[in-house]
Amino acid sequence: MAARIYQRPKNAMQSGRARTAEWVLEFESSEAQRPDPLMGWAGGADTQSQVVLTFPSVAEATAYADRYGIPARVQPTPPRRLKLQAYADNFR
């Protein structure tokens, strides 16, 4: 089962940068989710997709994947783009 390693992005609802320095190893789903006929919730029989492991660095995450023979791909972190503007720009 393949996995992906990525750095957790900042939540849109938070102003701080808590928990954005840790790296996440997440298993990819092997089958598509299907809706439950009674409740309508999406689900499946793949329990491996519920496993989410966190690591302090990308090197530790890749070492874990190599040690247990998990084929993993690392998604690079996109660069932060700051939109710098002055308060006076609101009145132009």
Side-chain angles (χ1 to χ4, degrees):
M1 168 150 308
R4 66 183 183 121
I5 299 171
Y6 63 95
Q7 194 169 16
R8 189 184 306 258
K10 184 174 93 75
N11 187 350
M13 299 300 294
Q14 73 186 37
S15 60
R17 300 196 39 85
R19 298 181 64 188
T20 58
E22 61 188 21
W23 289 81
V24 178
L25 185 139
E26 185 176 64
F27 291 96
E28 295 174 351
S29 182
S30 62
E31 61 183 41
Q33 292 186 343
R34 56 189 182 279
D36 183 50
L38 180 63
M39 299 297 289
W41 296 339
D46 185 22
T47 58
Q48 196 73 351
S49 63
Q50 299 174 4
V51 177
V52 177
L53 303 172
T54 58
F55 298 92
S57 69
V58 68
E60 292 183 26
T62 54
Y64 178 86
D66 291 340
R67 183 174 355 155
Y68 290 103
I70 301 168
R73 60 182 170 85
V74 177
Q75 288 183 337
T77 305
R80 285 180 56 196
R81 289 174 295 198
L82 299 176
K83 183 180 176 185
L84 300 176
Q85 66 182 30
Y87 180 69
D89 293 341
N90 293 333
F91 303 103
R92 285 188 190 199

